Amino acid sequence: METKLMFCVTTICVLISTLHGHVGLNVSAYARLRNDLLSRDSVIHQVSPRRVDPEQNFTITLNLVGYDILDIDQIKQTMTIFSFMTISWKQEYLSWDPSLYDNQTDVSIETSLLWKPYIFLLLGYTTDFCLDYPEWAIVDWTGQVDVYVDLYINLRCAIDFVKYPFDSQICRLGLYAYVDDAQIFRAKYRIGKFTFRTNVFSENGEWRIQNYSGSVTRDINDQTYPIFDVKLQRRPGYYVITVITPLLLTSVMISLVFLIPPGSGEKISFFVTLYTSLAIFVNFVSNVMPRNVSSAPYLILLLIGVSIQGLLANLATLFVVKMYEKQKDQMKKSSSESRSSKQTNTIHPEKIAVVTPENSDLPLTVEESDETKQPKMPLLFRLSPGQWDNLFFLCFTSAQVLLMGTIFGATDWLADAPSLAF
């Protein structure tokens, strides 16, 4: 029994000693590898690959993974995104033979000790933006350097408000590389992967990601640089309920003013209420739209059309009210003259001349009244205020249908409209 126990203890000790020696050997090889790499002259002086081998085909590989769109400022036309980027390039003088270092195939080195391409935002930058490298980089035995960067990028995004709120926008991010001596680094770029983590991205926001793509573009100076495009689509449900629908109802209510009787005295006060609501719409749109809109958005055209409709309806209502007041004054005057004539005939009956055929000196025709002496007016001006209201109601209803049909049907405002999602 004691012999078996001693055998087990001896075996465990041998295993622990072997593992400890192996771990110590790995640590020693790892430390020796770092020291050998960092002691090379090209690494100490952080020489760029272009100076070591001018004919080297230098390629920068970019992998960009977007996680979330944090904010889109429509007035300043900027977008803030959170993303994760992997930047890879190859430096031949960082390669080694793994067999000489206990099969170590990669090593971590501080980025402050390595040469790095100077990468900055070429397209979409809001301020001077240079890529900040993390503290560590991974170098493998072939000399490839991998850097993993977490980015909060605030970039410009030119927002076209023509189809607002049924619009889609494309935000573009372009990168460019310079060498350490500020000369243009003629590098080749390769986009390994560009994607958005849709399972992480908040799909309940105002925007949804419609598409994204990455490509390498060549400019007029024969320089290449990568461009990442993100196509966003606005969710219009909120704006349809809070802006467009009330605006359409306001347009309908403008025509309904002609159904109010002219004598009620409520027509003008009704218009004051409508114009107050239109002022609210104007204030909302002015707070949303940027100050550099190049072409008139369809929502602005709709608002202008409803405002013009309201102005013309207000003038028509004033005309109807004026006609009603004029007719009312004429009725009062006619009633007063009728009562005065009756009183005269009652008080002086002897002054009434009777015209008979026997009295040949008197004319046989009765003197015409003032109304029969007046020239006849056109039929349109002999309409009553109620008839004018009916005519204006038909005209403005037809104009309203024509306006809505033109804006919603004859234009491409709803061409990119998705289902009303919130």
Side-chain angles (χ1 to χ4, degrees), residues 64-70 79-84 171 193-203 209-213 228-232:
L64 181 63
V65 178
Y67 280 91
D68 199 1
I69 297 177
L70 303 179
M79 180 178 69
T80 303
I81 62 174
F82 171 65
S83 61
F84 183 80
C171 297
K193 179 176 65 175
F194 176 48
T195 183
F196 259 87
R197 294 289 182 87
T198 55
N199 57 336
V200 180
F201 176 71
S202 176
E203 284 289 342
I209 298 177
Q210 191 174 14
N211 192 13
Y212 49 84
S213 62
F228 301 94
D229 293 333
V230 181
K231 187 175 183 180
L232 305 172

Side-chain angles (χ1 to χ4, degrees), residues 48 58 60 87 89 115-121 128-133 175-185 189:
S48 67
F58 192 86
I60 297 178
I87 306 173
W89 67 90
W115 173 89
K116 303 171 294 296
Y118 183 83
I119 299 178
F120 68 97
L121 286 181
D128 294 337
F129 179 83
C130 175
L131 185 64
D132 293 328
Y133 286 92
L175 301 177
Y176 212 82
Y178 276 69
V179 296
D180 51 355
D181 57 359
Q183 295 181 5
I184 296 179
F185 195 27
Y189 300 88

Side-chain angles (χ1 to χ4, degrees), residues 74 179 219 285 300 310 400:
Q74 300 180 109
V179 296
D219 62 10
V285 173
I300 296 293
Q400 174 192 347

